[in-house]
Amino acid sequence: MTEDFSPELKIERKPKLAERVVSVIRSQVISGEIAPGEKLPTESRMTEVFHVSRTVIREAITTLAADGLVEARQGAGVFVVERPSQAFLTISTENGNRISNALNVLEVRMGIEIESAGLAAMRRNSAQEAQIQEAFLEFDRLLERREATGKADFAFHRAIAVATNNPFYVEILEALGNRAIPCDVTSPWGTDDILTIEYQTGLQREHFDILKAISAGAAEAARTAMRHHLTASQQRYRARLHGRYEEYLSVLGKNRKNKPGKAGPET
């Protein structure tokens, strides 16, 4: 049966180099091989160990920091945080680049962020509202410059969590990290088709609806806008899964059609 499958068919993309580095370090942290508070090897040493460039190492460290596993201390190096959020450490460790896992993360986010938006609308102070607006405008700025918007996207959602004035919303969102943000170049689900300007412009329109509702103090409207935003993301991922299945069937059909064999009767 294996001869029916084309080697060019890619149901899942290969992990980026940075993702491999992230996976190894995260596993070592979870297993305790790298203890809380321990300093990571130098950037130079890690390039030797992983046989990758400094750029790859920096991208991996950025991802780990966003996931709340490590922190950079100026002039001292990068250290494993003392108390990482154990409940969510393994969210991205298994099958991290599968779309099905992205859907699971979004499901968790819906359970948290819909109510988070409503509470932010009711509880935010002027400084917190300004933080949400600043993250929104930063997304706009990066979009205009054709730069990756993932960090600004995560900052927007985090600022909303902060505005609930309930620290547990922030802790849970930080534990999920910006790997849950699909338009980030460090995301395991970030591909060319979702890093387009059109895709991200659509995200920003959804962000604007959330921002307007929170600024107006309209709790129910904020919940509705956040629900729409995350549901739309789920639908986009499901469409990508469907597209991959259709691609699989198409390539498989072509291979079978082109495979030499006995001629059958005409129909």
Side-chain angles (χ1 to χ4, degrees):
M1 291 296 293
T2 54
E3 64 268 20
D4 289 340
F5 293 87
S6 168
E8 297 179 358
L9 178 61
K10 296 180 182 178
I11 300 302
E12 291 286 351
R13 68 174 178 82
K14 292 182 179 179
K16 299 175 184 177
L17 291 174
E19 291 169 21
R20 297 174 188 173
V21 175
V22 167
S23 178
V24 170
I25 296 176
R26 182 185 283 111
S27 296
Q28 291 176 335
V29 171
I30 293 171
S31 67
E33 186 176 343
I34 304 178
E38 186 176 340
K39 181 180 178 180
L40 295 185
T42 65
E43 187 178 280
S44 177
R45 176 57 181 158
M46 284 194 281
T47 61
E48 296 175 2
V49 170
F50 292 103
H51 304 289
V52 296
S53 68
R54 288 177 179 268
T55 300
V56 170
I57 295 299
R58 288 167 187 164
E59 183 179 336
I61 296 301
T62 297
T63 297
L64 290 165
D67 285 349
L69 296 183
V70 303
E71 60 180 2
R73 300 176 189 171
Q74 190 171 8
V78 179
F79 295 79
V80 176
V81 297
E82 292 288 350
R83 298 179 62 186
S85 301
Q86 294 292 334
F88 294 95
L89 276 177
T90 59
I91 283 180
S92 301
T93 59
E94 297 180 0
N95 305 321
N97 62 337
R98 292 187 179 181
I99 294 178
S100 58
N101 201 50
L103 287 167
N104 289 338
V105 172
L106 276 168
E107 189 173 273
V108 172
R109 289 181 61 196
M110 289 184 74
I112 298 164
E113 294 194 66
I114 292 172
E115 183 60 20
S116 176
L119 292 175
M122 293 187 291
R123 299 176 178 174
R124 86 275 183 260
N125 58 38
S126 57
Q128 291 166 342
E129 183 179 350
Q131 278 190 320
I132 299 171
Q133 293 174 346
E134 287 167 5
F136 176 85
L137 293 174
E138 176 65 5
F139 191 110
D140 254 358
R141 186 186 69 82
L142 293 171
L143 194 57
E144 288 178 3
R145 296 177 59 175
R146 303 298 193 263
E147 295 180 11
T149 56
K151 290 182 181 179
D153 195 336
F154 184 77
F156 177 78
H157 287 274
R158 185 186 184 283
I160 292 171
V162 170
T164 66
N165 289 295
N166 181 335
F168 290 105
Y169 279 103
V170 181
E171 182 177 339
I172 293 172
L173 193 60
E174 286 183 339
L176 289 173
N178 68 352
R179 288 169 63 86
I181 304 298
C183 63
D184 183 20
V185 293
T186 65
S187 169
W189 312 297
T191 57
D192 291 341
D193 60 322
I194 67 167
L195 295 175
T196 62
I197 296 301
E198 292 75 13
Y199 181 94
Q200 295 180 74
T201 299
L203 291 179
Q204 187 68 330
R205 283 195 295 266
E206 294 166 10
H207 288 162
F208 185 55
D209 290 338
I210 298 168
L211 173 60
K212 282 193 302 182
I214 291 175
S215 295
E220 196 53 43
R223 293 187 184 99
T224 299
M226 183 65 80
R227 182 181 294 108
H228 171 74
H229 176 51
L230 297 177
T231 299
S233 292
Q234 284 184 320
Q235 292 171 343
R236 286 186 282 262
Y237 277 124
R238 290 191 179 107
R240 289 175 63 198
L241 274 175
H242 180 73
R244 288 183 177 185
Y245 179 65
E246 292 297 328
E247 177 190 7
Y248 165 75
L249 293 179
S250 175
V251 174
L252 182 60
K254 288 178 182 177
N255 289 341
R256 286 178 173 170
K257 183 177 180 180
N258 296 332
K259 184 180 178 182
K262 293 181 180 179
E266 292 184 0
T267 58

